[in-house]
Amino acid sequence: MRIQRIEKVIRENFAPLQALEIEDESHQHAGRQGQESHFKILAVSSKFSGISRVQRQRQLNNLLQSEFDLGMHALSMRLLTPEEFEKQTGRFQTPNCQGKQQS
C-alpha cells in the first residue's frame, strides 16, 4: 500500500521523528475513491532545522517522486521542527481542491 511506502521513506530519511501522521484523503475527492491519490502528512523532525519550509517540501517531493509517477495526485504536508510543532495551534487542514466532496 502507498501509505506504508510513504511512511517508510519519511522514517528512513527524517529520523528521529517526534511525530508522524499520514492520512489518505482520496475518499474526499470525486473520482478518486480507493485510488490512494491524495495524502496529508504531518512530520516533526529535528532534521528540518535550518532548512526553509520550501526546501523541506521539495526534499520530500523528490523522495516521493516514484509515488507521483505511480499515480499519487496530491500531497499536502506540514514538515516542522520540534520547536515549530510546539508553537502551532489548531489542526492541520488541507485546502479544498476542485472536485472535493462536501461532508
Side-chain angles (χ1 to χ4, degrees), residues 3 5 10 24 28-29 33 47 57 65 69 79 96:
I3 201 164
R5 293 191 306 263
I10 293 170
D24 182 350
Q28 296 176 353
H29 300 272
Q33 292 183 0
K47 293 241 176 146
Q57 292 177 353
Q65 184 59 52
D69 294 344
L79 308 174
N96 290 337

Side-chain angles (χ1 to χ4, degrees), residues 4-93:
Q4 284 89 6
R5 293 191 306 263
I6 292 170
E7 180 176 352
K8 182 177 186 232
V9 165
I10 293 170
R11 289 194 183 281
E12 287 177 352
N13 289 279
F14 301 111
L17 290 160
Q18 285 73 30
L20 177 60
E21 297 175 15
I22 305 171
E23 186 177 342
D24 182 350
E25 297 186 318
S26 304
H27 65 282
Q28 296 176 353
H29 300 272
R32 300 285 182 174
Q33 292 183 0
Q35 292 187 13
E36 295 184 311
S37 60
H38 289 65
F39 288 86
K40 175 171 73 172
I41 295 171
L42 167 66
V44 180
S45 172
S46 58
K47 293 241 176 146
F48 298 132
S49 296
I51 302 171
S52 75
R53 289 178 192 229
V54 171
Q55 290 171 316
R56 298 170 197 180
Q57 292 177 353
R58 283 184 184 150
Q59 187 177 17
L60 184 54
N61 278 330
N62 289 337
L63 290 167
L64 294 175
Q65 184 59 52
S66 63
E67 295 301 332
F68 286 106
D69 294 344
L70 292 170
M72 185 166 65
H73 175 72
L75 181 61
S76 294
M77 60 186 110
R78 182 169 277 174
L79 308 174
L80 304 171
T81 66
E83 296 79 18
E84 292 167 337
F85 183 65
E86 286 179 20
K87 293 177 186 175
Q88 84 169 2
T89 59
R91 185 160 161 24
F92 176 27
Q93 299 290 325

